[in-house]
Amino acid sequence: MKNLFVSLVMIATVFTGSFAQTTKWVIDNSHTNINFRATHMVISKVTGHFDDYSATVLSDKPDFTDAKIDFSAKIASINTANEKRDEHLKSDDFFNAAEYPELTFKGKSLTKVSDNKYKLTGDLTIRNTTKTVELDVEYGGTVNDPWGQTRAGFEIRGKVDRFDYGLKWNAAIETGGLVVGKDIELIIHVEIVKSK
């Protein structure tokens, strides 16, 4: 019986290992933009991005449907082209960068919808609160560059409710509505490079 148990464990280990992703891709920060957009005063939009972030992707399949994605961004690097607003976003009214210095995303699945359209599902953590989100992905393709590197590009879009993560500061305006919209749009352009 003991030998049977050992054999089953060994088979399971080999089976699992054979499907583990071994190809690592790293983000090319110079060709990537982590952007977000929020409604301001109901009538317009304010955009921003994170300057300090990192990501790795483990994927062996050419279509990336087996991708394991890990992403993080430093809250202190938030940039909306307005220093006073950026400081407010870093405060406890919003992200509280001092206590929660990073936001993270861990991908759970990347499912193909059509030729180059995907749904990305993963866990987004902000202020120590984790929620599962679903994002739309457009796969731009994979190419070999003139320097011998393999690159892949993606556009990722979606919305998150900031109230879900405790970013609840707001003020009402006279005509109704809120100074800052509840839903935050994500517009992300990513280029990754196969690691050697």
Side-chain angles (χ1 to χ4, degrees):
M1 189 69 176
K2 181 179 178 182
N3 288 340
L4 176 61
F5 177 76
V6 171
S7 297
L8 288 172
V9 169
M10 289 176 65
I11 290 169
T13 301
V14 170
F15 184 83
T16 303
S18 67
F19 288 93
Q21 295 86 341
T22 58
T23 305
K24 182 179 179 181
W25 300 73
V26 294
I27 200 164
D28 179 352
N29 296 70
S30 61
H31 297 100
T32 296
N33 298 288
I34 312 299
N35 302 313
F36 59 87
R37 183 165 61 192
T39 302
H40 181 246
M41 298 284 189
V42 183
I43 59 170
S44 65
K45 304 278 189 180
V46 170
T47 61
H49 60 271
F50 291 94
D51 289 321
D52 189 358
Y53 54 86
S54 62
T56 57
V57 177
L58 295 176
S59 177
D60 293 329
K61 292 186 177 181
D63 64 358
F64 290 92
T65 51
D66 65 336
K68 301 297 181 189
I69 301 165
D70 281 294
F71 171 85
S72 65
K74 301 289 187 184
I75 300 301
S77 75
I78 200 164
N79 187 342
T80 65
N82 182 294
E83 186 176 347
K84 186 176 180 180
R85 179 168 56 220
D86 293 347
E87 290 305 315
H88 191 198
L89 289 171
K90 295 172 196 176
S91 76
D92 193 40
D93 281 345
F94 289 96
F95 287 100
N96 191 349
E99 189 168 348
Y100 309 103
E102 287 188 337
L103 65 79
T104 63
F105 176 84
K106 293 188 179 295
K108 296 164 78 173
S109 67
L110 183 62
T111 306
K112 185 180 285 191
V113 177
S114 63
D115 286 345
N116 68 334
K117 307 290 186 185
Y118 295 74
K119 291 288 184 183
L120 172 60
T121 302
D123 289 335
L124 177 64
T125 301
I126 301 173
R127 288 186 65 126
N128 210 32
T129 297
T130 302
K131 301 283 184 181
T132 299
V133 298
E134 186 178 80
L135 305 171
D136 295 319
V137 178
E138 182 175 332
Y139 172 41
T142 301
V143 298
N144 294 319
D145 69 21
W147 302 276
Q149 295 179 307
T150 303
R151 297 174 174 271
F154 304 86
E155 179 178 282
I156 303 167
R157 290 180 176 266
K159 287 185 180 181
V160 295
D161 183 341
R162 66 185 178 89
F163 286 9
D164 286 345
Y165 299 92
L167 284 69
K168 293 185 176 181
W169 179 89
N170 233 317
I173 57 177
E174 290 181 4
T175 57
L178 302 172
V179 171
V180 181
K182 181 169 69 80
D183 291 327
I184 306 301
E185 298 174 75
L186 305 177
I187 312 102
I188 300 168
H189 299 96
V190 176
E191 194 169 301
I192 55 176
V193 182
K194 187 184 289 187
S195 180
K196 294 184 178 180

